[in-house]
């Protein structure tokens, strides 16, 4: 078992030590600081992983080899962040795993947490209507969220939660290999594109997500509050359809 530079950094971050601490063999680290390492992190160290987002138990390198059943059961049993303590269940994603279309929202809400499916509340009804207008049914697309667990009281996702879920989402994207990703709302857009630009400035064009075109549009929950922007969202979906057809 070798201690890679990357894992060394994550190890040091996890135990609160500055990164200039001299390189030490992982066996020595485990001897020195066993109580400071959670089991998940130790597993991660045993299986070196590449991840650019900091400490992530569910690093993409580790997750990316999984097939659908393995990925879904890994998500269902994930306890990598505090959201596992408050969720009713994980919300993995639903739809056509061979679809050209992948819609990505922010995180499950109360109804999704209860039913275990994404976008089944009021925002989901609006999304269904928009899909219908595009000539699509729910079964024609795949839909998931950046986070697989509900943040309590629907608060914004925390960066460390996004980081833990990122490998899951990247693995889903790889397995589906869609022709277009539609990022629903600011949080999905920011987390996927690693930017904090306004949604208004991100919409209206196709971005690149690791080789897959990505179109940004308003979140259906926002459109319920601001119906005047439905027209812009429709333009975004038409752009996404053009991308699919190219
Ligand atoms: N909002 C989201 O972003 N995702 C859901 O699944 C439901 C509401």
């Amino acid at each position: 078992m070798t201690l890679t530079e990357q894992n060394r950094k994550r190890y040091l971050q996890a135990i609160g030590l500055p990164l200039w601490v001299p390189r030490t063999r992982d066996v020595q680290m485990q001897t020195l600081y066993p109580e400071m390492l959670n089991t998940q992190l130790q597993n991660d160290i045993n299986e070196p992983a590449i991840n650019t987002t900091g400490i992530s138990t569910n690093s993409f390198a580790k997750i990316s080899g999984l097939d659908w059943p393995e990925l879904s059961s890994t998500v269902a049993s994930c306890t990598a962040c505090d959201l596992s303590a408050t969720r009713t269940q994980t919300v993995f994603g639903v739809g056509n795993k061979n679809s050209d279309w992948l819609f990505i929202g922010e995180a499950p809400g109360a109804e999704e947490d209860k039913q275990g499916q994404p976008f089944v509340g009021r925002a989901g009804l609006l999304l269904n209507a928009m899909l219908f207008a595009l000539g699509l049914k729910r079964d024609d697309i795949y839909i998931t969220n950046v986070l697989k667990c509900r943040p309590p009281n629907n608060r914004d996702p925390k960066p460390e939660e996004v980081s833990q879920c990122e490998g899951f989402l990247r693995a889903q994207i790889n397995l589906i290999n869609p022709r277009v990703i539609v990022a629903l709302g600011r949080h999905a857009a920011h987390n996927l594109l690693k930017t904090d630009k306004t949604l208004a400035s991100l919409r209206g064009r196709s971005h690149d997500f690791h080789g897959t075109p990505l179109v940004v549009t308003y979140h259906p929950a926002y459109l319920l509050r601001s119906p005047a922007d439905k027209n812009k969202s429709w333009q975004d979906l038409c752009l996404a359809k053009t991308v699919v057809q190219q």
Side-chain angles (χ1 to χ4, degrees), residues 105-109 112 118-119 145 219:
E106 175 184 331
E112 290 78 19
F119 284 96
N145 285 304
H219 194 287

Side-chain angles (χ1 to χ4, degrees), residues 91 104-110 112 117-121 123-124 143-147 184 219-221:
V91 178
I104 302 178
E106 175 184 331
E112 290 78 19
Q117 302 233 346
F119 284 96
V120 287
I143 185 155
T144 187
N145 285 304
V146 170
L147 291 191
L184 296 169
H219 194 287

Side-chain angles (χ1 to χ4, degrees), residues 35-61:
E35 73 288 353
M36 298 176 93
L37 296 168
N38 64 36
T39 315
Q40 295 278 4
L41 186 59
Q42 292 209 32
N43 288 343
D44 212 13
I45 286 158
N46 291 340
E47 291 176 56
I50 302 157
N51 187 318
T52 53
T53 57
I55 300 167
S56 171
T57 311
N58 305 309
S59 62
F60 178 52

Side-chain angles (χ1 to χ4, degrees), residues 77-181:
S77 61
C78 179
T79 54
C81 78
D82 290 346
L83 296 182
S84 61
T86 50
R87 73 182 178 220
T88 304
Q89 59 193 313
T90 55
V91 178
F92 181 70
V94 287
N96 178 352
K97 295 180 177 122
N98 301 311
S99 181
D100 289 340
W101 295 80
L102 172 60
F103 286 75
I104 302 178
E106 175 184 331
E111 200 54 39
E112 290 78 19
D113 174 72
K114 209 186 289 174
Q115 295 190 34
Q117 302 233 346
F119 284 96
V120 287
R122 283 184 66 229
L125 290 178
L126 176 57
L127 181 63
N128 292 351
M130 292 170 79
L131 291 174
F132 186 74
L134 271 181
L136 295 167
K137 301 185 299 299
R138 280 280 280 232
D139 292 350
D140 294 330
I141 62 147
Y142 196 87
I143 185 155
T144 187
N145 285 304
V146 170
L147 291 191
K148 309 305 185 211
C149 296
R150 181 189 182 210
N153 305 315
N154 298 343
R155 65 155 168 75
D156 288 351
K158 293 182 183 171
E160 60 270 26
E161 294 159 356
V162 172
S163 170
Q164 290 293 354
C165 259
E166 197 165 14
F168 296 146
L169 184 59
R170 290 282 309 277
Q172 287 177 305
I173 295 169
N174 263 23
L175 285 166
I176 296 164
N177 192 19
R179 291 174 81 94
V180 72
I181 295 170

